[in-house]
Amino acid sequence: MRTKALFSAMLLALAPLPIVAQDFNAGLAAAERGDYVAALREWKPLAEQGHAGAQNNLGVIYEHGHSVAQDRAEAARLFRLAAEQGDARAQSNLGNIYSNGRGVARDYAEAVRWYRLAAEQGIDNAQYNLGLMYGKGQGVAKDDVLAHMWINIAAANGSEK
């Protein structure tokens, strides 16, 4: 009897503590209705656990200062965490950060690197921006053929720029 009670106590001690489940989609719904406080509440724990989508979306919140103090360096950090996991939207956002020098030193070569990764995954904004970089010779050798190619691919994928 005592062994059974001890075993039960050990199982209870090993059982995980209850965790309040965060919901990525609930964060999306909150952000869409402009409730960034609720979005932060959902995404911050997920981002801390390595969820790339949550990291990217938090980056957007910090970049624009939605319900938080605008912090472009924090936005860049969050975009990088997600981008390094292969998140195409974060890669495109990180390209924008480097291209414009927001939160990091302007670095066209680094912008091209991230735009290319996102463009190859079909992100039309990155495809368009990569085309612009080739057209202007920013971060890459000027190449009108590649500029035309990437801008046309972006248009075919729905870019309205």
Side-chain angles (χ1 to χ4, degrees):
M1 179 83 165
R2 183 174 176 144
T3 304
K4 192 174 189 178
L6 182 59
F7 182 73
S8 295
M10 286 175 42
L11 285 178
L12 285 174
L14 295 174
L17 296 173
I19 298 173
V20 177
Q22 305 319 126
D23 185 341
F24 181 78
N25 291 330
L28 282 177
E32 287 172 0
R33 66 178 181 270
D35 186 354
Y36 297 105
V37 172
L40 281 162
R41 188 172 41 247
E42 295 296 335
W43 290 335
K44 194 164 187 175
L46 292 172
E48 290 168 354
Q49 294 169 21
H51 188 288
Q55 290 166 337
N56 177 64
N57 291 354
L58 275 181
V60 171
I61 286 175
Y62 279 98
E63 181 179 21
H64 297 286
H66 295 303
S67 298
V68 296
Q70 186 178 44
D71 186 343
R72 291 185 169 149
E74 177 65 2
R77 184 187 76 80
L78 288 161
F79 290 149
R80 179 174 296 284
L81 288 172
E84 288 174 347
Q85 293 182 66
D87 186 284
R89 297 247 175 246
Q91 291 167 342
S92 182
N93 288 334
L94 194 55
N96 290 336
I97 290 282
Y98 277 106
S99 179
N100 295 300
R102 293 184 309 226
V104 297
R106 178 175 281 162
D107 185 335
Y108 291 132
E110 194 68 5
V112 166
R113 173 179 174 235
W114 293 108
Y115 283 148
R116 185 182 322 281
L117 289 169
E120 290 172 352
Q121 293 186 67
I123 302 298
D124 63 328
N125 186 53
Q127 293 164 339
Y128 179 81
N129 287 327
L130 185 57
L132 291 180
M133 301 298 276
Y134 275 108
K136 295 175 183 176
Q138 293 176 323
V140 291
K142 184 172 173 37
D143 188 323
D144 291 336
V145 172
L146 286 175
H148 182 74
M149 179 194 83
W150 281 113
I151 290 171
N152 280 338
I153 290 170
N157 285 326
S159 177
E160 296 179 11
K161 292 183 182 183

